[in-house]
Coordinates of all heavy atoms in Angstrom, one line a residue:
A848 N 106.8 103.4 43.2 CA 106.8 104.6 43.9 C 107.1 104.5 45.4 O 107.6 105.4 46.0 CB 105.4 105.3 43.8
M849 N 107.0 103.3 45.9 CA 107.3 103.1 47.3 C 108.8 103.3 47.6 O 109.2 103.7 48.7 CB 107.0 101.6 47.7 CG 105.6 101.4 48.2 SD 105.4 99.8 49.0 CE 103.8 99.9 49.6
R850 N 109.6 103.2 46.6 CA 111.1 103.4 46.8 C 111.4 104.8 47.2 O 112.4 105.1 47.8 CB 111.8 103.0 45.6 CG 111.7 101.5 45.1 CD 112.3 101.3 43.8 NE 112.0 99.9 43.3 CZ 112.7 98.9 43.6 NH1 113.8 99.0 44.3 NH2 112.4 97.7 43.1
G851 N 110.5 105.7 46.8 CA 110.7 107.1 47.1 C 110.1 107.6 48.4 O 110.1 108.8 48.7
L852 N 109.5 106.7 49.2 CA 108.7 107.1 50.4 C 109.6 108.0 51.4 O 109.1 108.9 52.0 CB 108.2 105.9 51.1 CG 106.8 105.5 50.8 CD1 106.4 104.3 51.7 CD2 105.8 106.6 51.1
G853 N 110.9 107.6 51.4 CA 111.8 108.3 52.3 C 111.9 109.8 52.0 O 112.4 110.6 52.9
T854 N 111.6 110.2 50.8 CA 111.7 111.6 50.4 C 110.4 112.4 50.7 O 110.3 113.6 50.5 CB 112.0 111.8 48.9 OG1 110.9 111.3 48.1 CG2 113.2 111.0 48.6
W855 N 109.3 111.7 51.1 CA 108.0 112.4 51.4 C 108.1 113.1 52.7 O 109.0 112.8 53.6 CB 106.9 111.3 51.4 CG 106.6 110.7 50.1 CD1 107.5 110.7 49.0 CD2 105.4 110.0 49.7 NE1 106.9 110.0 48.0 CE2 105.6 109.5 48.4 CE3 104.3 109.7 50.4 CZ2 104.7 108.8 47.7 CZ3 103.3 109.0 49.7 CH2 103.5 108.5 48.4
R856 N 107.2 114.0 52.9 CA 107.2 114.8 54.2 C 106.9 113.9 55.3 O 105.9 113.1 55.3 CB 106.1 115.9 54.1 CG 105.9 116.6 55.4 CD 105.1 117.9 55.3 NE 105.8 119.0 54.7 CZ 105.4 120.2 54.7 NH1 104.2 120.5 55.1 NH2 106.1 121.2 54.1
N857 N 107.7 114.0 56.4 CA 107.5 113.2 57.7 C 107.3 111.7 57.4 O 106.3 111.2 57.8 CB 106.3 113.8 58.5 CG 106.5 115.2 58.8 OD1 107.6 115.8 58.8 ND2 105.4 115.9 59.2
P858 N 108.3 111.1 56.8 CA 108.1 109.7 56.4 C 107.9 108.8 57.7 O 107.1 107.8 57.6 CB 109.4 109.3 55.7 CG 110.4 110.3 56.1 CD 109.6 111.6 56.3
Q859 N 108.5 109.1 58.8 CA 108.3 108.2 60.0 C 106.9 108.3 60.5 O 106.3 107.3 60.9 CB 109.3 108.6 61.0 CG 110.8 108.2 60.7 CD 110.9 106.7 60.2 OE1 110.4 105.8 60.9 NE2 111.6 106.5 59.1
E860 N 106.3 109.5 60.5 CA 105.0 109.7 60.9 C 104.0 109.0 60.0 O 103.0 108.4 60.4 CB 104.6 111.2 61.0 CG 103.2 111.4 61.5 CD 102.8 112.9 61.6 OE1 103.6 113.8 61.4 OE2 101.6 113.2 61.8
L861 N 104.3 109.1 58.7 CA 103.5 108.4 57.7 C 103.2 106.9 58.1 O 102.1 106.4 58.0 CB 104.1 108.5 56.3 CG 103.8 109.6 55.4 CD1 104.6 109.5 54.1 CD2 102.3 109.7 55.1
L862 N 104.3 106.3 58.5 CA 104.3 104.8 58.8 C 103.5 104.5 60.0 O 103.2 103.3 60.3 CB 105.7 104.3 58.8 CG 106.5 104.4 57.5 CD1 107.9 103.8 57.7 CD2 105.8 103.6 56.4
T863 N 103.1 105.5 60.8 CA 102.3 105.3 62.0 C 100.8 105.5 61.6 O 99.9 105.1 62.4 CB 102.7 106.2 63.1 OG1 102.3 107.6 62.8 CG2 104.1 106.2 63.4
L864 N 100.5 106.1 60.5 CA 99.2 106.5 60.1 C 98.5 105.4 59.2 O 97.2 105.4 59.2 CB 99.2 107.8 59.4 CG 99.6 109.0 60.2 CD1 99.8 110.3 59.3 CD2 98.7 109.3 61.3
A865 N 99.3 104.6 58.5 CA 98.7 103.7 57.6 C 99.7 102.6 57.3 O 100.9 102.8 57.5 CB 98.2 104.4 56.3
R866 N 99.2 101.5 56.8 CA 100.0 100.5 56.1 C 100.1 100.8 54.7 O 99.1 101.4 54.1 CB 99.5 99.1 56.4 CG 99.5 98.7 57.9 CD 98.9 97.4 58.1 NE 99.9 96.3 57.7 CZ 99.5 95.0 57.8 NH1 98.4 94.6 58.2 NH2 100.4 94.1 57.4
F867 N 101.2 100.5 54.0 CA 101.3 100.9 52.6 C 101.3 99.7 51.7 O 102.0 98.7 51.9 CB 102.6 101.7 52.4 CG 102.5 103.1 52.9 CD1 102.6 103.3 54.3 CD2 102.3 104.1 52.1 CE1 102.4 104.6 54.8 CE2 102.2 105.4 52.6 CZ 102.3 105.7 53.9
V868 N 100.4 99.8 50.7 CA 100.1 98.6 49.8 C 100.8 98.9 48.4 O 100.4 99.9 47.8 CB 98.6 98.4 49.6 CG1 98.4 97.2 48.7 CG2 97.9 98.3 50.9
G869 N 101.8 98.1 48.1 CA 102.4 98.3 46.8 C 101.8 97.5 45.7 O 101.7 96.2 45.8
C870 N 101.2 98.1 44.7 CA 100.6 97.4 43.6 C 101.7 97.2 42.6 O 102.3 98.1 42.0 CB 99.5 98.3 43.0 SG 98.1 98.6 44.1
T871 N 102.0 95.9 42.3 CA 103.1 95.6 41.4 C 102.7 95.8 39.9 O 101.6 95.6 39.5 CB 103.5 94.1 41.6 OG1 102.4 93.3 41.3 CG2 104.1 93.9 43.0
R872 N 103.7 96.3 39.2 CA 103.5 96.5 37.8 C 104.6 95.6 37.1 O 105.6 95.3 37.7 CB 103.8 98.0 37.4 CG 102.9 99.0 38.0 CD 103.3 100.4 37.5 NE 102.4 101.4 38.1 CZ 102.6 102.7 37.8 NH1 103.6 103.1 37.1 NH2 101.8 103.6 38.4

């Protein structure tokens, strides 16, 4: 799902609010 982060609302702001943890499948 991380590959789609750029389509989420305000992606640049998102990256200032948290670190993102990718759970591998």
Side-chain angles (χ1 to χ4, degrees):
M849 272 192 172
R850 299 173 189 271
L852 267 181
T854 67
W855 293 19
R856 172 171 282 189
N857 300 342
Q859 292 307 312
E860 182 183 351
L861 269 177
L862 296 178
T863 69
L864 296 172
R866 297 176 76 183
F867 285 76
V868 183
C870 297
T871 58
R872 298 178 180 179

